[in-house]
Amino acid sequence: MTRAPRPRDLGIAPGILPPGPSNSLTDVPGVRVGHRTLHHHDAEQPVRTGVTVVVPAPGSLFRAKPAAGLEVANGFGKAAGLSQIAELGVLETPLALTNTLGVGSAFEGLVRHALDGHPEIGTTTGTVNPAVFECNDGWLNDIRGLHVRPDHVLDALKAASEGPVQEGAVGAGTGMVAFGWKAGIGSGSRLVDAGDGTRFTVGALVLANFGLADDLTVLGVPVGRTLTPHQAREQAEFARGAGSCVVLIATDAPADARQLRRMAKRATVGLARTGGIVQHGSGEYALAWSTTHRVPHRPPGPVRPASALAEDGPLIDLFFRAAAEATEEAVIASLFAARPVTGVRGHHAPALPADRIADLVHHPASVELRGTPHPPT
């Protein structure tokens, strides 16, 4: 199958910072991504779901925990493990993405993975805090069938690699829809020059399942007002109450948990640039972590030395910009990569016409401006 064009293939390059070599989350050294896609019929019900896992850093995450910061823009979600991340500022397992009713199975899969590699968990030390994020894929998937199982998480972990991230309707993105079009997994990255010969990478991965059809915006051009498909309008009421977007941001900079939360906040800037408005029924979660700022499970003494980014100069703003730009591009990439999918009750999510989008972006005078698509009542 021919690879779908990525945004930059068609001259769509959000922001001003340069991307990394593969323009994806895995440009951050040591980060790996794997998918397990479930796309079949089971008991006459279309299964359009899956699991995506992100291994956030090399080595044992439990014994050397990556510093992390969490931002919840709207908490209409059923994620697991977030309260401990917010409290302690660290990760200690891979990250799993799946559908809303698959959170329990994904949690168990991560627990099994942690127990297999750490005999001390639950015996000579405490338990473990798996981190699971979700979006509702019930527009296309038989979500009541509970098709995601713990073994699917283990399969995705085995498939995890440092290569370019597979995007679109794969893994957790199999049944996701954004702005009325088929979407799912997308990724992007940015390089940050510290000015002293040091260069850092910021990468983003999104699970995109949010947004109203008319609101889709690419490089500031309101393309959704011209391209809204009939199916997108049928899906609009579903999108109003069952959206969500998960943004995962990695960096190799030695940022601490507080700084990483500040970076995670800037993911909302990237979502807004694509037309997201953080609706009441949409869960917007952003998590940022550092692959180089690690916290030992058993510290060697009562005081732990640590480094962090300077915030009294322009560098921190470059990281904020990188997080916003990489998130924006990742959302667009998720739409460009996704193939059309038909699911439960005949619901159909069409593929975004990438060539037409590029034409509208490069010739914005042809965009149809219809005004506010959903006026207040």
Side-chain angles (χ1 to χ4, degrees), residues 178-181 211-217 222-236 350-353 356-357 360 367-368 370-371 373-374:
F179 301 102
W181 303 92
L212 295 173
D214 289 307
D215 290 336
L216 177 60
T217 303
V223 295
R225 301 186 190 183
T226 296
L227 292 177
T228 302
H230 175 68
Q231 293 90 340
R233 296 196 180 282
E234 291 180 341
Q235 192 255 359
L352 186 75
R356 177 66 174 138
I357 291 291
L360 289 171
V367 172
E368 179 182 350
R370 294 194 300 268
H374 301 291

Side-chain angles (χ1 to χ4, degrees), residues 124-221:
T124 59
T125 191
T127 57
V128 66
N129 182 52
V132 183
F133 295 86
E134 54 77 30
C135 292
N136 186 344
D137 60 12
W139 174 255
L140 293 173
N141 174 51
D142 172 33
I143 195 168
R144 289 176 57 89
L146 304 179
H147 301 285
V148 172
R149 308 311 308 155
D151 284 348
H152 296 142
V153 175
L154 301 179
D155 292 342
L157 285 165
K158 291 176 184 176
S161 73
E162 296 182 349
V165 174
Q166 188 179 2
E167 297 174 317
V170 295
T174 303
M176 303 300 173
V177 179
F179 301 102
W181 303 92
K182 188 68 193 76
I185 299 293
S187 199
S189 70
R190 294 295 185 271
L191 302 177
V192 175
D193 187 346
D196 61 353
T198 305
R199 190 172 71 176
F200 298 110
T201 302
V202 175
L205 180 142
V206 303
L207 178 60
N209 190 57
F210 71 106
L212 295 173
D214 289 307
D215 290 336
L216 177 60
T217 303
V218 177
L219 297 192
V221 180

Side-chain angles (χ1 to χ4, degrees), residues 16-23 26-29 189-203 250-255 263 290-292 309 315 318-319 322:
I16 62 175
L17 294 177
S22 67
N23 198 8
T26 49
D27 285 334
V28 180
S189 70
R190 294 295 185 271
L191 302 177
V192 175
D193 187 346
D196 61 353
T198 305
R199 190 172 71 176
F200 298 110
T201 302
V202 175
T251 183
D252 53 1
M263 288 186 209
S290 168
T291 61
T292 58
L309 294 172
L315 181 60
L318 291 177
F319 281 98

Side-chain angles (χ1 to χ4, degrees), residues 213-273:
D214 289 307
D215 290 336
L216 177 60
T217 303
V218 177
L219 297 192
V221 180
V223 295
R225 301 186 190 183
T226 296
L227 292 177
T228 302
H230 175 68
Q231 293 90 340
R233 296 196 180 282
E234 291 180 341
Q235 192 255 359
E237 287 304 315
F238 176 84
R240 286 178 187 275
S244 296
C245 188
V246 177
V247 184
L248 304 180
I249 296 172
T251 183
D252 53 1
D256 63 22
R258 181 184 60 80
Q259 294 172 328
L260 290 162
R261 184 183 179 191
R262 297 188 74 198
M263 288 186 209
K265 285 183 178 182
R266 274 61 185 185
T268 59
V269 176
L271 298 182
R273 287 176 175 174

Side-chain angles (χ1 to χ4, degrees), residues 240-367:
R240 286 178 187 275
S244 296
C245 188
V246 177
V247 184
L248 304 180
I249 296 172
T251 183
D252 53 1
D256 63 22
R258 181 184 60 80
Q259 294 172 328
L260 290 162
R261 184 183 179 191
R262 297 188 74 198
M263 288 186 209
K265 285 183 178 182
R266 274 61 185 185
T268 59
V269 176
L271 298 182
R273 287 176 175 174
T274 65
I277 60 171
V278 190
Q279 295 164 264
H280 161 72
S282 186
E284 265 71 23
Y285 293 83
L287 177 74
W289 71 90
S290 168
T291 61
T292 58
H293 190 130
R294 309 285 288 266
V295 178
H297 182 69
R298 297 188 185 278
V303 177
R304 176 175 58 85
S307 61
L309 294 172
E311 294 181 62
D312 56 353
L315 181 60
I316 195 70
D317 284 336
L318 291 177
F319 281 98
F320 294 165
R321 177 182 290 275
E325 290 184 5
T327 299
E328 179 185 7
E329 186 156 0
V331 171
I332 300 169
S334 76
L335 289 158
F336 276 31
R339 305 286 181 175
V341 172
T342 300
V344 293
R345 298 177 292 280
H347 291 166
H348 179 74
L352 186 75
D355 290 337
R356 177 66 174 138
I357 291 291
D359 183 63
L360 289 171
V361 168
H362 298 311
H363 303 90
S366 62
V367 172

